[in-house]
Amino acid sequence: MNMIIDVLTNKVSVDGVNYAINSDFRTSMLFELMMADKELDDKQRIENALMLYYPIIPNDINEAIEQILWFYRCGKNMTKSKGSGSGKSDQIYDFDFDDDYIYSAFLDQYNIDLQDADLHWWKFKALFKSLKEDNEIVKIMGYRSMDLNKIKDKEEKARYKKMKDLYKIQGHISKDETEKLGSIENALLNGGDMSKLL
């Protein structure tokens, strides 16, 4: 899917049938927050995701969830990377914790009031990724993603550690978006049957 060439979709195909999918940016924000919610089990996450995205829930739960993941990723198919990293990644933003910074960044840079906006998730993500460095949320995400082990100067390291601690996301497990989707993705990739979780 190419955002410049293709028309943004508000439908997905499950078993050859087109189903409406809630494309508003708030829906996918809620989905992301739900995936990070430690109080929900996999069954609750799947049930909630289906109700969140589909006005009419398809019968094929596995494919319906695959289509949710495809939509959430803005029409991009993700493949598992075989990098040499540790696998642990710091969460650099949170839609609950950073709501005021994100709201003000969109208002400042794009003159978009997110309270009034009717914005497709894919548009929102493209705009969010393209926020300029002078927006406070971008500075904060930079502090959160800073690898302190790569900083040799002690004073500079202490300053960045202070900023990292100051802007640490409270009450959440450090996960990036792919890790938030881990349990459902693993079941899908390993041929698991989502309907057994329901």
Side-chain angles (χ1 to χ4, degrees):
M1 184 61 77
N2 183 315
M3 275 191 66
I4 302 168
I5 299 168
D6 301 314
V7 175
L8 299 184
T9 188
N10 59 1
K11 293 183 171 134
V12 293
S13 178
V14 179
D15 284 336
V17 177
N18 285 336
Y19 286 88
I21 192 162
N22 292 326
S23 61
D24 185 79
F25 73 100
R26 293 169 190 89
T27 300
S28 290
M29 283 178 144
L30 289 169
F31 174 70
E32 188 170 311
L33 291 167
M34 180 188 66
M35 294 307 293
D37 187 341
K38 298 181 287 186
E39 307 221 349
L40 297 175
D41 61 27
D42 287 347
K43 180 181 179 198
Q44 291 169 314
R45 285 189 181 107
I46 291 167
E47 288 173 347
N48 291 346
L50 291 167
M51 289 187 291
L52 193 59
Y53 277 104
Y54 292 108
I56 299 171
I57 298 173
N59 290 329
D60 186 336
I61 301 302
N62 286 340
E63 193 172 345
I65 293 294
E66 284 182 39
Q67 290 301 313
I68 287 173
L69 296 174
W70 175 84
F71 182 83
Y72 172 78
R73 291 187 193 112
C74 302
K76 308 290 185 199
N77 290 319
M78 305 287 230
T79 55
K80 294 266 184 189
S81 65
K82 295 182 180 178
S84 59
S86 65
K88 186 180 178 184
S89 156
D90 289 330
Q91 183 177 348
I92 62 169
Y93 71 89
D94 180 273
F95 289 129
D96 262 347
F97 195 72
D98 298 317
D99 60 332
D100 48 354
Y101 292 116
I102 295 167
Y103 176 85
S104 61
F106 271 71
L107 196 57
D108 176 55
Q109 183 168 324
Y110 304 119
N111 200 27
I112 295 174
D113 185 331
L114 291 176
Q115 276 289 305
D116 302 329
D118 179 18
L119 198 59
H120 192 284
W121 169 243
W122 298 3
K123 288 181 184 179
F124 173 86
K125 281 294 277 192
L127 295 171
F128 185 60
K129 288 179 182 178
S130 300
L131 288 171
K132 295 179 183 172
E133 290 180 7
D134 63 345
N135 281 297
E136 197 64 22
I137 186 63
V138 177
K139 294 176 189 175
I140 291 168
M141 290 189 301
Y143 296 137
R144 289 175 182 157
S145 65
M146 182 73 60
D147 184 352
L148 298 176
N149 294 323
K150 293 184 178 179
I151 302 173
K152 302 299 179 203
D153 183 272
K154 287 183 181 181
E155 287 180 23
E156 187 180 5
K157 189 174 193 170
R159 184 175 83 79
Y160 279 115
K161 181 176 181 346
K162 181 179 176 183
M163 298 308 282
K164 198 171 179 118
D165 290 344
L166 178 65
Y167 292 111
K168 182 180 180 181
I169 296 171
Q170 303 296 321
H172 290 82
I173 299 172
S174 293
K175 294 181 180 182
D176 64 16
E177 14 186 275
T178 34
E179 288 172 329
K180 291 176 190 170
L181 301 172
S183 59
I184 292 175
E185 273 187 284
N186 285 337
L188 285 171
L189 293 172
N190 296 319
D193 185 359
M194 293 296 160
S195 60
K196 290 179 183 174
L197 293 172
L198 297 176

